[in-house]
Amino acid sequence: MSKESSFDIVSQVDLSEVDNAINIATKEITTRYDFKGSKSEITLDKSSEELVLVSDDEYKLEQLKDVLITKLIKRGVPTKNLDYGKIEQASGGTVRQRAKLVTGIDKDNAKKINTLIKNSGLKVKSQIQDDQIRVTGKNRDDLQQIISAVREANLPIEVQFINYR
């Protein structure tokens, strides 16, 4: 009898890479001509896992967001996991926007992934464990097909596959 293989589907964001991307973006902002003299800044609130973007006006805030997103992509941080809040007025005539870093798979997305796995018709089992999904099966080829199917699915969050054994 063959041993069961398994892997976990998770949604994680590496905070150290986010911090590195913010530092690189801040350096670029200080040297860019269109940001000269502006009060643009990006900060990371590690306790609530939120990015706070502050700039002079909405146009500069969008530019700030573009710089941040390009740096996050270069550092390998999934940008699908950023949940932007509404733009609000801040002190000193500036505008602020918060972006929550989404970690973990919520119940709705877990159900979507579970349904996708069940509809594949392969002989694998999937179970939701807190904010991750464990997929087990006897055939490793089936698990590989599940990984490719989940990657191709248009999910609102970025997922990673860990603990493949």
Side-chain angles (χ1 to χ4, degrees):
M1 197 150 126
S2 67
K3 184 173 88 72
E4 291 226 333
S5 300
S6 69
F7 68 89
D8 295 331
I9 303 173
V10 297
S11 180
Q12 300 172 331
V13 177
D14 188 0
L15 286 180
S16 61
E17 288 298 329
V18 172
D19 200 33
N20 290 339
I22 289 172
N23 290 337
I24 295 168
T26 304
K27 282 182 186 175
E28 181 174 324
I29 289 164
T30 56
T31 58
R32 270 183 50 169
Y33 178 75
D34 55 340
F35 283 109
K36 289 276 189 229
S38 75
K39 299 174 191 144
S40 299
E41 67 174 355
I42 306 168
T43 54
L44 172 64
D45 184 5
K46 289 188 179 178
S47 63
S48 64
E49 294 186 354
E50 266 188 342
L51 295 172
V52 181
L53 294 90
V54 178
S55 193
D56 293 338
D57 53 33
E58 288 186 27
Y59 175 73
K60 279 203 171 110
L61 189 68
E62 290 300 318
Q63 296 295 321
L64 189 67
K65 215 187 303 186
D66 286 343
V67 170
L68 176 66
I69 287 173
T70 56
K71 301 307 174 196
L72 287 172
I73 290 171
K74 283 184 181 176
R75 300 298 302 180
V77 177
T79 55
K80 273 186 179 180
N81 290 16
L82 288 175
D83 183 23
Y84 290 102
K86 65 180 197 295
I87 297 173
E88 54 197 39
Q89 294 295 322
S91 62
T94 58
V95 290
R96 177 189 318 124
Q97 187 172 24
R98 295 180 184 276
K100 181 131 181 66
L101 292 167
V102 178
T103 57
I105 302 174
D106 62 327
K107 292 287 184 202
D108 294 336
N109 289 320
K111 285 180 183 175
K112 283 181 193 174
I113 295 170
N114 238 352
T115 307
L116 179 78
I117 292 169
K118 297 257 189 280
N119 291 342
S120 68
L122 299 170
K123 290 188 175 183
V124 294
K125 292 179 277 190
S126 62
Q127 38 184 192
I128 301 171
Q129 300 175 339
D130 292 330
D131 58 352
Q132 68 182 19
I133 300 172
R134 163 110 357 123
V135 181
T136 57
K138 291 189 182 206
N139 190 348
R140 284 184 166 233
D141 293 337
D142 289 349
L143 295 179
Q144 290 287 343
Q145 287 178 354
I146 294 295
I147 288 175
S148 64
V150 171
R151 277 202 178 120
E152 290 171 6
N154 191 14
L155 297 170
I157 55 170
E158 192 73 32
V159 293
Q160 294 88 26
F161 305 96
I162 59 171
N163 298 335
Y164 186 72
R165 354 176 179 257

